[in-house]
């Protein structure tokens, strides 16, 4: 069985295996997941990935997941989810930052714990004491999961929530 037929880049069809699956375009299928790498993030621990990550977040005006493949993503400014202020609700609802796998175990953890490769958000210590991620509400339905937040002993907070509700964080 042919699962996908590609004739040129960005064209072709995709058919998921299983009863009841329907044919979709490849472009429609691959746009289900927004990756920070789609916007130029490198994830090498050296390159400043702040703008690329923020652009990925901003590409989801009505919500969705922003995926971080395994890597170390260096930032030097606060990443902002939502655009609300005071009593004006954010138009960006339901944005989730999702890292690949489980975050790596921090150095110096209790014996018996081992690190598993994952997505790592690294604060550029030259940037000073700011929050790494700010949830800018009023905002409903935000999330951050499977990301190791390394503030480099300088970042003021990992996640700063302003007027937000129904948020979920896990495996940080």
């Amino acid at each position: 069985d042919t699962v996908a037929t590609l004739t040129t880049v960005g064209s072709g069809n995709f058919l998921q295996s299983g009863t009841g699956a329907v044919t979709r375009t490849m472009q429609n299928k691959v746009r289900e997941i927004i990756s920070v790498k789609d916007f130029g993030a490198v994830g090498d621990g050296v390159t400043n990935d702040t703008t690329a990550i923020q652009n990925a977040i901003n590409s989801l005006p009505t919500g969705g997941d922003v995926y971080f493949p395994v890597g170390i993503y260096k930032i030097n400014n606060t990443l902002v989810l939502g655009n609300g202020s005071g009593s004006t609700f954010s138009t960006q609802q339901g944005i989730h930052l999702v890292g690949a796998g489980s975050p790596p175990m921090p150095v110096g953890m209790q014996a018996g714990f081992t690190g598993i490769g994952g997505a790592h958000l690294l604060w550029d210590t030259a940037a000073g004491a700011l929050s790494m991620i700010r949830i800018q509400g009023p905002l409903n339905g935000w999330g951050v999961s499977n990301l190791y937040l390394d503030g480099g002993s300088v970042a003021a907070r990992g996640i700063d929530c302003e007027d937000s509700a129904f948020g979920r964080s896990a495996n940080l």
Side-chain angles (χ1 to χ4, degrees):
D1 291 326
T2 301
V3 176
T5 305
L6 293 174
T7 54
T8 60
V9 175
S11 67
N13 293 318
F14 175 86
L15 178 61
Q16 187 64 261
S17 62
T19 304
V22 297
T23 301
R24 300 167 53 193
T25 67
M26 284 299 294
Q27 186 172 30
N28 181 267
K29 175 65 177 172
V30 299
R31 284 188 173 168
E32 287 180 353
I33 299 173
I34 302 297
S35 170
V36 294
K37 291 198 173 193
D38 295 338
F39 291 84
V42 178
D44 63 1
V46 177
T47 305
N48 180 358
D49 292 320
T50 308
T51 300
I53 296 169
Q54 190 63 59
N55 286 342
I57 293 167
N58 294 345
S59 77
L60 296 168
T62 58
D65 294 344
V66 176
Y67 178 70
F68 290 75
V70 172
I72 300 173
Y73 300 90
K74 188 174 184 179
I75 61 171
N76 69 353
N77 206 349
T78 303
L79 300 174
V80 180
L81 277 68
N83 59 5
S85 63
S87 61
T88 304
F89 276 90
S90 173
T91 58
Q92 294 178 315
Q93 303 287 326
I95 295 177
H96 301 92
L97 305 183
V98 181
S102 296
M105 196 62 63
V107 175
M109 286 299 290
Q110 181 177 354
F113 288 96
T114 58
I116 304 170
H120 183 139
L121 203 56
L122 174 65
W123 186 254
D124 181 350
T125 57
L130 299 171
S131 298
M132 295 178 74
I133 300 170
R134 183 173 65 237
I135 313 302
Q136 184 67 47
L139 176 87
N140 292 319
W142 60 272
V144 181
S145 60
N146 296 339
L147 281 173
Y148 175 48
L149 305 180
D150 182 351
S153 300
V154 177
R157 286 176 288 285
I159 302 174
D160 184 14
C161 298
E162 298 179 19
D163 295 325
S164 61
F166 304 110
R168 180 177 182 270
S169 62
N171 298 329
L172 300 177

